[in-house]
C-alpha cells in the first residue's frame, strides 16, 4: 500500500467560532500529539483527509506534512457528525520512533475450514488479540487462513505469525477458533 500523505498547516486561532469558520472554507481543525504529550494545532483539507480516513485501519501509519516538515502519525480519534456525514475534528498521534504501542486488534478469518466441509461447525472463540510493536511494524489487519483446520482442531494465538517486531500479549494457548464435530 502506498504511503498516505495529509498536508497540514499550523493553526493559530482556537474556539468554536474559529472552528466553524475553518469548516466553512473546506478545512478541518485538527490536533497532533507527540509521545512527550506536546500538542500542535493544525488545519487540514477536508477532502484530502476523508480520502485517507475512509481507506485506513486504526494501525495505519500516515505521513503528516506540516508545512514541509514530515511526521509519521496515526489517526487516533475523529469527531464525526452522522447527520451530514462529515468529520468535524481529527486527532493525530506521532509516536517516538522506538516507542512500542500496545493495540487490541480484531481477528479476521479467511477461508472455509476443511472440517466444516466435512460436516463440522465453526466455533469462533476469541474475537481479538492484543499486540505490541513499533508503529512502523504494526500490521494493518490480523487475517488468518483457517482453510486447513479439521474437525476437533483449533487455531490458537501461538499459531499466529504477525511478522518481525510484533509480539502478541494475548496468552499463547488462547483459542481463536475451532471446528466442533456435528452432534
Amino acid at each position: 500500500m502506498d504511503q498516505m500523505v495529509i498536508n497540514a498547516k499550523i493553526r493559530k486561532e482556537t474556539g468554536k467560532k474559529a472552528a466553524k469558520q475553518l469548516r466553512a472554507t473546506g478545512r478541518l481543525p485538527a490536533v497532533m500529539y507527540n509521545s512527550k504529550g506536546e500538542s500542535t494545532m493544525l488545519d487540514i483539507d477536508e477532502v484530502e483527509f476523508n480520502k485517507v480516513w475512509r481507506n485506513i485501519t486504526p494501525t495505519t501509519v500516515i505521513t503528516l506534512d506540516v508545512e514541509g516538515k514530515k511526521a509519521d502519525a496515526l489517526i487516533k480519534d475523529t469527531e464525526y457528525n452522522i447527520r451530514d456525514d462529515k468529520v468535524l475534528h481529527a486527532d493525530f498521534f506521532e509516536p517516538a520512533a522506538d516507542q512500542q504501542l500496545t493495540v487490541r486488534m480484531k481477528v479476521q478469518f479467511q477461508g472455509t475450514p476443511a472440517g466444516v466441509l466435512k460436516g463440522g461447525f465453526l466455533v469462533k472463540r476469541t474475537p481479538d488479540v492484543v499486540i505490541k510493536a513499533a508503529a512502523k511494524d504494526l500490521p494493518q489487519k490480523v487475517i488468518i487462513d483457517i482453510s486447513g483446520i479439521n474437525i476437533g482442531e483449533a487455531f490458537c494465538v501461538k499459531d499466529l505469525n504477525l511478522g518481525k517486531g510484533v509480539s502478541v500479549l494475548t496468552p499463547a494457548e488462547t483459542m481463536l477458533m475451532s471446528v466442533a464435530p456435528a452432534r
Side-chain angles (χ1 to χ4, degrees):
M1 179 182 259
D2 294 334
Q3 184 68 17
M4 298 190 186
V5 179
I6 295 177
N7 295 302
K9 298 176 187 172
I10 294 179
R11 178 169 54 112
K12 306 265 189 277
E13 296 157 4
T14 62
K16 281 185 182 180
K17 186 177 179 182
K20 280 185 179 183
Q21 289 173 345
L22 200 59
R23 286 187 202 105
T25 63
R27 310 280 301 168
L28 290 175
V31 177
M32 180 176 68
Y33 300 97
N34 64 15
S35 59
K36 299 173 190 164
E38 301 164 343
S39 63
T40 306
M41 295 185 311
L42 305 171
D43 85 66
I44 56 179
D45 182 73
E46 181 179 10
V47 174
E48 185 179 15
F49 176 78
N50 280 323
K51 283 181 184 175
V52 172
W53 182 61
R54 295 186 190 277
N55 293 307
I56 63 169
T57 66
T59 57
T60 303
V61 177
I62 60 162
T63 300
L64 197 57
D65 187 346
V66 182
E67 297 179 350
K69 183 180 174 191
K70 297 185 188 282
D72 287 336
L74 301 165
I75 298 175
K76 283 306 264 185
D77 195 22
T78 54
E79 186 179 338
Y80 183 76
N81 184 344
I82 60 171
R83 285 187 184 166
D84 57 9
D85 193 34
K86 289 190 175 198
V87 175
L88 301 173
H89 186 274
D91 287 352
F92 297 94
F93 175 65
E94 178 191 7
D98 59 343
Q99 182 178 2
Q100 296 284 310
L101 302 174
T102 302
V103 181
R104 180 175 299 276
M105 294 188 71
K106 294 270 185 221
V107 175
Q108 297 177 4
F109 301 113
Q110 183 177 11
T112 303
V116 169
L117 297 174
K118 296 175 186 172
F121 295 98
L122 172 66
V123 181
K124 295 179 180 178
R125 305 276 181 173
T126 305
D128 49 31
V129 292
V130 178
I131 62 172
K132 188 173 188 176
K136 64 178 175 46
D137 295 330
L138 284 172
Q140 300 253 340
K141 298 177 182 177
V142 176
I143 300 174
I144 55 175
D145 182 16
I146 57 173
S147 57
I149 309 295
N150 283 305
I151 295 174
E153 295 179 350
F155 193 98
C156 297
V157 170
K158 66 182 176 188
D159 301 324
L160 283 174
N161 182 13
L162 299 177
K164 185 180 173 187
V166 179
S167 57
V168 182
L169 302 180
T170 304
E173 296 303 319
T174 303
M175 270 196 271
L176 298 174
M177 61 74 62
S178 63
V179 178
R183 295 183 188 189

